[in-house]
Amino acid sequence: MRFTLVTATIVLMTALGPPLVSLYLARQQGLQIEMERVRGYAEVVVQRSDRAVEQMQEAIDLLIAEGAVDPCSADMLQLMRQLALRGEFMKAAGVVDGNFMPCSSLGLHEPPLNLGQPDTVTAIGTELRLSSPMPLPNDTPYISISRDGFIAMAHRNQAVDIATDIQGAVFATFNPNNGEIRTSIGEANPDWIDRLGDEQEATFVDGSFIVAVMLSDQVGQTGSLAAEPLFHLDERVREISLRWLPFSLLAAGVLTLAFLYAARQQVSMATQIRLGLRRDEFFLEYQPIVDLQTSEWVGAEALLRWRTRDGKLVEPDIFIPVAEESNLINLITSRVLELAAQDMGGFLRDNPVMSLSINLSASDILLPATSEHLLSVIKRFNLRPGQLTVELTERMLVEPEKARVALAAMREQGIRVSIDDFGTGYSSLSYLETMPFDSLKIDRLFVEAIDKEAATSRVVLHLIEMANTLQLDVVAEGVETEKQAAYLRERGVRYAQGWLYSKSIPADIFKATC
Ligand code: C2E
Ligand code: MG
Ligand code: MG
């Protein structure tokens, strides 16, 4: 049940993961594209506004330069008309007298046209009117600039009147000094301008809009704003997602299949293990444990081997985890104990100084059958206390209270307890102090580091120190060189195991060599 639930969850994750990730990435990419687009529009607005102001200032400069005594003379009116026709943005030029316009590129105005109060007057006396009336049939509002008796006008919406296919887009210009909206198409939210802070430009998502706000390079001249409704982003995301869909579906398919394949392999390996037990495909090899001072063999560790029917040798690192997950490990351990008794029972009885180590798994420790089986071997061969050792790793002690009781009981029966792969777990000294161990095996990772100048090479010293503090025997695993052996010997390590002395060998050879 647990297996199928876990399997179902993982299948769901492998199937949904890639599409969800691609959707997320599509949204990120879409947002980036849309923000860049809106920013582009804000830039266009600010440039158009800047160009319009430039043209109007140039026209006023030209009219002033004429220095005409009568600014409404026929020549001046002619010049104004030319300027108005030439200007891309500027639509009219005129003469201004107070708030009145007596003449313009449209001719003489009788009576003079009342322009109304200026909306803003700059420090150098330039007046800005946001809506100046003009006697034209379509009464489009005009924006005007006037200075030194002349005025130039442009369509009010010229800067923001951009051809766009963005439905619901908002464009606006604003006064950068007080944040007031000058001209706009669509409903511009004045709060958006506040988001600028001290920056020259800002692009962001606000409510249901993507917004870009920007200031003109000409300090204090103008600010622009562009915004588009968020539904454009949704459209963009849909478009990008669709482009990626085949790939994410493919990835999901491949991942799911790979997982299902691995899961099936696992199930079939469990079946193979069961069959292997029935067909007697498992056997033990023995790796000698050596006294570092004398180099004599004082015992062995039993290491399980599996040769399948087709002659393939499967590593314990592969099949032990599968056996543990599929609840076959107790059967395996039981077989290991049978094989060990068969191979070594008599030998141990005849050689009371020799000892044998057996590897246990987590679930073996709490199973009464394990210690019963060990005891029956001890009795059958009349073994001495300390001749059998069980090896377990720190990671196995998931239920420390129960483990402590079980291990203490084994020790009472003369079984030694050794902690395997020491240094690779996470146990603290104070925790280890409370566990009933007799010896510890320093993992070969740390022994390997002795030859190298790596930082891990110093770890081995700490591990030895810890063992001394806990008053435990030390076995160094994976000793491959004379240099490692010498190093360990000098630091008081008593036992070693490794290819320097011997690889794991069949029982017969072990016994014959002893
Ligand atoms: P372990 O208990 O730490 O066993 C030591 C491993 O290091 C063995 O690998 C051994 O062959 C290898 N080794 C020994 N000396 C050297 C050396 O000098 N250099 C190198 N590179 N390696 C060396 P093996 O036999 O493949 O076993 C791997 C692991 O499988 C064992 O690690 C143990 O955790 C597990 N295992 C083996 N037999 C059993 C068993 O009967 N029951 C259980 N539960 N686990 C077992
Ligand atoms: Mg071991
Ligand atoms: Mg080990």
Side-chain angles (χ1 to χ4, degrees):
M1 174 65 196
R2 197 179 122 244
F3 183 67
T4 53
L5 199 68
V6 171
T7 313
T9 313
I10 296 177
V11 164
L12 207 68
M13 273 161 53
T14 53
L16 290 182
L20 286 178
V21 168
S22 79
L23 205 65
Y24 171 78
L25 292 177
R27 197 167 171 85
Q28 294 298 101
Q29 198 194 6
L31 189 62
Q32 209 176 342
I33 292 173
E34 290 305 306
M35 278 179 138
E36 204 40 58
R37 175 156 90 140
V38 175
R39 195 196 154 275
Y41 276 112
E43 202 158 30
V44 169
V45 171
V46 90
Q47 278 167 1
R48 286 171 72 93
S49 170
D50 279 351
R51 275 203 345 254
V53 172
E54 244 166 60
Q55 264 175 29
M56 293 197 281
Q57 295 282 23
E58 267 170 31
I60 291 172
D61 285 344
L62 270 171
L63 289 167
I64 294 169
E66 278 304 302
V69 187
D70 176 8
C72 283
S73 68
D75 284 351
M76 285 300 278
L77 289 185
Q78 176 67 13
L79 179 59
M80 287 179 216
R81 261 191 295 276
Q82 279 170 1
L83 289 171
L85 283 173
R86 226 168 44 200
E88 180 195 352
F89 292 98
M90 201 185 82
K91 292 296 168 220
V95 171
V96 69
D97 183 5
N99 287 332
F100 290 89
M101 187 163 70
C103 62
S104 74
S105 42
L106 293 174
L108 289 171
H109 301 294
E110 298 278 357
L113 215 64
N114 188 352
L115 297 168
Q117 291 289 335
D119 292 284
T120 324
V121 181
T122 69
I124 55 158
T126 304
E127 295 172 338
L128 178 76
R129 287 179 179 81
L130 292 179
S131 51
S132 300
M134 280 299 278
L136 286 171
N138 63 338
D139 66 343
T140 336
Y142 279 74
I143 193 165
S144 71
I145 289 176
S146 54
R147 170 163 57 86
D148 297 324
F150 291 99
I151 186 165
M153 297 181 173
H155 274 307
R156 194 185 144 122
N157 288 340
Q158 193 86 34
V160 290
D161 196 8
I162 315 170
T164 173
D165 55 353
I166 307 179
Q167 205 190 327
V170 177
F171 301 118
T173 60
F174 61 89
N175 179 347
N177 300 312
N178 58 12
E180 238 169 44
I181 306 273
R182 277 181 185 153
T183 59
S184 80
I185 279 186
E187 190 96 354
N189 181 347
D191 294 344
W192 290 340
I193 297 163
D194 297 340
R195 293 281 289 265
L196 255 186
D198 294 333
E199 300 297 319
Q200 196 66 17
E201 61 171 271
T203 309
F204 51 89
V205 176
D206 178 73
S208 50
F209 281 93
I210 298 175
V211 187
V213 189
M214 194 176 287
L215 293 182
S216 158
D217 294 336
Q218 274 122 322
V219 180
Q221 186 151 306
T222 191
S224 75
L225 176 163
E228 69 166 37
L230 261 184
F231 64 78
H232 292 290
L233 173 62
D234 298 337
E235 276 164 21
R236 176 79 64 178
V237 171
R238 211 170 305 135
E239 184 189 305
I240 298 171
S241 306
L242 277 178
R243 220 178 308 142
W244 286 2
L245 189 67
F247 301 104
S248 61
L249 287 182
L250 191 71
V254 168
L255 259 179
T256 309
L257 283 180
F259 170 73
L260 286 176
Y261 177 76
R264 248 195 61 179
Q265 288 291 100
Q266 169 126 354
V267 172
S268 67
M269 182 176 276
T271 313
Q272 293 297 320
I273 291 173
R274 218 174 267 123
L275 270 176
L277 282 168
R278 206 179 305 153
R279 292 186 194 139
D280 244 338
E281 291 172 357
F282 292 90
F283 60 98
L284 286 176
E285 281 193 337
Y286 298 87
Q287 185 176 35
I289 295 175
V290 174
D291 185 321
L292 262 174
Q293 293 297 335
T294 61
S295 290
E296 264 171 36
W297 294 8
V298 295
E301 175 178 6
L303 293 165
L304 190 57
R305 302 288 176 253
W306 179 20
R307 192 183 301 281
T308 56
R309 204 152 59 159
D310 50 14
K312 217 172 61 189
L313 201 62
V314 187
E315 302 266 311
D317 283 334
I318 308 269
F319 69 79
I320 295 281
V322 176
E324 281 170 349
E325 269 170 44
S326 13
N327 293 327
L328 289 171
I329 193 67
N330 302 135
L331 286 178
I332 294 254
T333 302
S334 170
R335 176 62 52 89
V336 166
L337 292 176
E338 281 165 18
L339 289 168
Q342 202 176 297
D343 290 343
M344 303 290 268
F347 174 82
L348 289 173
R349 182 188 50 215
D350 301 341
N351 297 277
V353 288
M354 285 282 169
S355 66
L356 180 68
S357 291
I358 308 277
N359 290 290
L360 293 188
S361 283
S363 70
D364 294 322
I365 307 168
L366 302 180
L367 202 72
T370 310
S371 57
E372 280 160 22
H373 200 153
L374 282 161
L375 280 182
S376 77
V377 175
I378 290 174
K379 279 210 188 99
R380 204 166 111 213
F381 295 98
N382 198 17
L383 301 185
R384 307 271 168 97
Q387 270 193 293
L388 277 191
T389 301
V390 290
E391 293 189 6
L392 24 113
T393 66
E394 297 162 63
R395 282 178 289 273
M396 291 179 192
L397 308 172
V398 274
E399 289 182 274
E401 287 311 318
K402 288 186 186 165
R404 192 174 292 128
V405 174
L407 295 179
M410 282 197 210
R411 287 180 86 209
E412 249 166 57
Q413 305 293 333
I415 300 166
R416 283 166 56 87
V417 177
S418 183
I419 179 144
D420 203 354
D421 301 345
F422 190 68
T424 60
Y426 42 78
S427 308
S428 66
L429 185 62
S430 58
Y431 168 77
L432 291 175
E433 236 171 353
T434 66
M435 297 303 283
F437 297 135
D438 296 282
S439 67
L440 61 81
K441 301 186 80 169
I442 296 178
D443 193 72
R444 72 161 181 271
L445 196 78
F446 305 106
V447 173
E448 209 174 276
I450 291 175
D451 285 343
K452 300 168 190 152
E453 286 306 311
T456 29
S457 63
R458 260 170 288 135
V459 177
V460 80
L461 288 177
H462 293 294
L463 299 179
I464 296 170
E465 214 171 283
M466 262 172 117
N468 288 338
T469 312
L470 297 168
Q471 295 181 303
L472 301 178
D473 272 345
V474 182
V475 184
E477 288 188 289
V479 177
E480 291 182 1
T481 67
E482 197 51 67
K483 188 177 160 197
Q484 291 165 347
Y487 182 97
L488 294 161
R489 194 182 304 119
E490 278 159 30
R491 280 154 189 86
V493 174
R494 186 122 184 244
Y495 302 107
Q497 193 182 335
W499 295 349
L500 175 63
Y501 307 102
S502 171
K503 290 198 172 182
S504 62
I505 45 179
D508 300 345
I509 300 181
F510 177 84
K511 288 186 276 191
T513 319
C514 266

